[in-house]
Amino acid sequence: MTAATAPAAPAGPATPPGPARRGPRPRGPVWTVLRLHRPALLVWGAYVLGMAGWMLWLRIVTLDGVRRDSDSCARNGGCVDIESAMSYGTALSTIGTLVSYLCYGVAAWAGAALIGRELERGTAQLAWTQSVTPTRWLTAKLALPAVALVLGTTVLVLLYRSAWAADRSILGDEWYYPDPMVNRGPLLVAYALCALAVGALAGLALKRALPALAVSLGFMVWFHLWLDELTPELWPATTLTGTAASRLPMTAEQLDLGAITATGARVDDLTCFDADADIDYTRCVSGKGFTDLYAEVHPESHFWPLHLMTTGIVLAVALLATTATFLLLRRRAR
């Protein structure tokens, strides 16, 4: 007699498989900023890639063709292929302008979309009633774009420096022009961060997207142009006299040129003086009470002092705007 086997337990409903485990992803305010402003971050990434690709193409492909044309021209009589050299210089100048003025777009976006629109629609106030404090909300709003701006502008600075240095062997050295002065160092990064802070302050103060856009953009345009004019005055110039003043270095930025009188006073009226002409400069000063020439210039060695002084001013404005934004937020959130 066989032992009875226990009946099998009825099979229950199949347990649905749990959701696939995903890797860690940003949460809270950081995730909110990524989700809301993903199109702007994608546009910024495309802009950086576009400018980087253009500069790499100039540096690797176009410059090689310019040098081949110049070598060929030189072998056929010692000429210089101006057309190919100017095409490279014009393209690099266009890139320099687009890169130098990117802070305008950053300020407009920060004022209108990043802060102003959130306050205008009331989504910021809704977030403050949840588990997100106003300070944490604003920190996430500023931190993520700031990281993206620092990384992107650093890439642009490095590539621009490489392309610009190669261009100097073709068209000469004009380091004191506004675009090379901004784009060859941390000043470009400082402008981007300053634009972000100014836009945030305008958006929080006005609580309207379009007015914040106009105010932040207008301020950055004025600030950028004003600082371009102020930069040569941020470091003491070098004074040249006599023959040195009559033949200024091609790489120097000329600030002032004139003559010294017998009493030591300086006069700027030199009607017959031309620094690029091979003339006897003493004829310009003789018979008019002038005894010597003088010139105030910035040599190429002044680039970094001027650049870093300007960077300090821009970062100071960015810090002031950021501090004012958090203080204003604290008052508004009460």
Side-chain angles (χ1 to χ4, degrees), residues 70 78 94 121 130 173 183 227 239-240 279 284 314 328 331:
S70 297
T94 302
R121 295 181 176 179
Q130 308 300 320
D173 193 347
N183 298 337
L227 207 50
T239 300
L240 304 177
I279 63 175
C284 294
V314 177
L328 182 60
R331 293 185 57 185

Side-chain angles (χ1 to χ4, degrees), residues 55 59 88 92 158-168:
M55 283 188 281
R59 182 70 176 84
Y88 181 89
L92 187 60
L158 295 176
L159 291 176
Y160 184 86
R161 285 182 59 86
S162 176
W164 187 87
D167 181 52
R168 296 312 92 202

Side-chain angles (χ1 to χ4, degrees), residues 33-167:
V33 175
L34 279 173
R35 181 169 53 85
L36 291 177
H37 301 290
R38 180 171 55 185
L41 294 175
L42 291 176
V43 169
W44 169 245
Y47 174 83
V48 172
L49 289 176
M51 291 294 101
W54 193 0
M55 283 188 281
L56 286 174
W57 179 268
L58 282 177
R59 182 70 176 84
I60 298 173
V61 179
T62 305
L63 182 61
D64 184 63
V66 171
R67 286 174 173 169
R68 286 199 308 269
D69 293 342
S70 297
D71 292 342
S72 175
C73 186
R75 286 193 298 269
N76 294 328
C79 61
V80 178
D81 192 346
I82 297 297
E83 182 178 358
S84 59
M86 289 298 294
S87 65
Y88 181 89
T90 301
L92 187 60
S93 177
T94 302
I95 292 175
T97 300
L98 292 175
V99 171
S100 177
Y101 296 152
L102 65 84
C103 61
Y104 297 166
V106 173
W109 172 77
L114 185 66
I115 302 295
R117 187 176 62 187
E118 299 296 310
L119 294 172
E120 187 174 14
R121 295 181 176 179
T123 55
Q125 292 84 345
L126 178 62
W128 299 347
T129 62
Q130 308 300 320
S131 59
V132 179
T133 64
T135 300
R136 186 183 175 194
W137 172 84
L138 182 58
T139 300
K141 283 285 187 182
L142 296 180
L144 187 62
V147 171
L149 288 172
V150 169
L151 294 177
T153 50
T154 300
V155 170
L156 295 178
V157 166
L158 295 176
L159 291 176
Y160 184 86
R161 285 182 59 86
S162 176
W164 187 87
D167 181 52

